[in-house]
Amino acid sequence: RYYRIPAILNQNGTLWAFTDDRTSASGDIGKGNLKIIAKTSTDKGTNWVNEKTVADFNSSDTSNDNFNYAHGDAAVVCDRDNSKKMLMMCASGKIGYGSSTVTTSGNWNKTLDLSKAIRVGKYTSNDGGSTWTSTDVTSDIYGIWDTKTTSWLGQTTYNTDVKKLFFSSGRICQSAIIKTGDYYRLYAALCTNVGSLVVYSDNFGESWSALGGTSAQPVPKGDEAKIEELPNGN
């Protein structure tokens, strides 16, 4: 049993530290049971207490996508206007990044098949981290790039350039400048088979879009990138 992949955030003076709890001494997603746990500190990190499981594993998950089989690589943020509102994105499921793939099936009207793709989890809390709600957002995130087009003859095709991805662990960046509606903008880096891609959200993770559009490839040979906003908003 060991711990890896830390993420930390400041919630109005309370520090939260997240990490993978690899209970079977396994590797990354796809190699065993992982869960994400967290501890808090109210004395600037001198003492850490209140361990809680944020995203638990289920080794007997037999659903079609095995979403709850494992969770790891936490990417986290606490809303700057409402410290009780927290978001965690993570890698999930039974399929590892290395073996992840996206395919299509059918001849004339194709269907996007994500059954062999590493899953994407979203965990939200509206009560300061006391309780968390999970959502499988795999199709939403892959769908940013793996888009459907229909010809004038009615033929359906998909772009499937992005075949594997996960949110890079650590702190999700929230803008101090750009605000749309109720929330300041979120930025996150994704590790993908086409390099490091950047997504943003103006509704605190309810939906995400590709920064610069779906054709933007800021770091084509990038890996697990991190993001920071400069004082001028860049």
Side-chain angles (χ1 to χ4, degrees), residues 126-140:
N126 294 314
D127 56 11
S130 295
T131 59
W132 294 82
T133 301
S134 68
T135 309
D136 182 345
V137 293
T138 306
S139 60
D140 294 337

Side-chain angles (χ1 to χ4, degrees), residues 52-210:
K52 77 175 357 313
T53 297
V54 178
D56 205 355
F57 68 81
N58 181 359
S59 58
S60 61
D61 181 9
T62 57
S63 61
N64 290 335
D65 56 20
N66 298 117
F67 172 71
N68 285 311
Y69 185 81
H71 303 283
D73 287 75
V76 296
V77 65
C78 174
D79 185 40
R80 64 174 60 252
D81 280 343
N82 179 2
S83 63
K84 290 187 176 297
K85 194 170 185 67
M86 303 169 72
L87 169 69
M88 182 184 76
M89 305 297 293
C90 63
S92 299
K94 200 172 185 177
I95 296 172
Y97 178 78
S99 57
S100 174
T101 188
V102 175
T103 60
T104 58
S105 58
N107 295 319
W108 188 260
N109 289 316
K110 293 186 178 297
T111 301
L112 188 65
D113 185 358
L114 295 171
S115 63
K116 297 180 179 179
I118 184 172
R119 315 304 294 178
V120 183
K122 180 179 78 171
Y123 281 75
T124 56
S125 176
N126 294 314
D127 56 11
S130 295
T131 59
W132 294 82
T133 301
S134 68
T135 309
D136 182 345
V137 293
T138 306
S139 60
D140 294 337
I141 303 302
Y142 280 93
I144 297 172
W145 294 276
D146 295 340
T147 52
K148 179 174 70 173
T149 58
T150 304
S151 71
W152 65 277
L153 292 174
Q155 182 181 17
T156 299
T157 58
Y158 277 90
N159 168 51
T160 56
D161 289 343
V162 178
K163 299 181 182 298
K164 56 185 72 177
L165 62 82
F166 64 93
F167 279 72
S168 291
S169 61
R171 185 176 60 85
I172 293 174
C173 177
Q174 186 171 34
S175 176
I177 297 173
I178 300 174
K179 187 176 186 179
T180 302
D182 293 333
Y183 300 105
Y184 286 92
R185 175 170 289 183
L186 301 182
Y187 297 104
L190 273 62
C191 178
T192 82
N193 60 288
V194 295
S196 299
L197 300 177
V198 182
V199 291
Y200 71 93
S201 174
D202 287 332
N203 51 17
F204 207 71
E206 286 298 310
S207 60
W208 297 86
S209 301

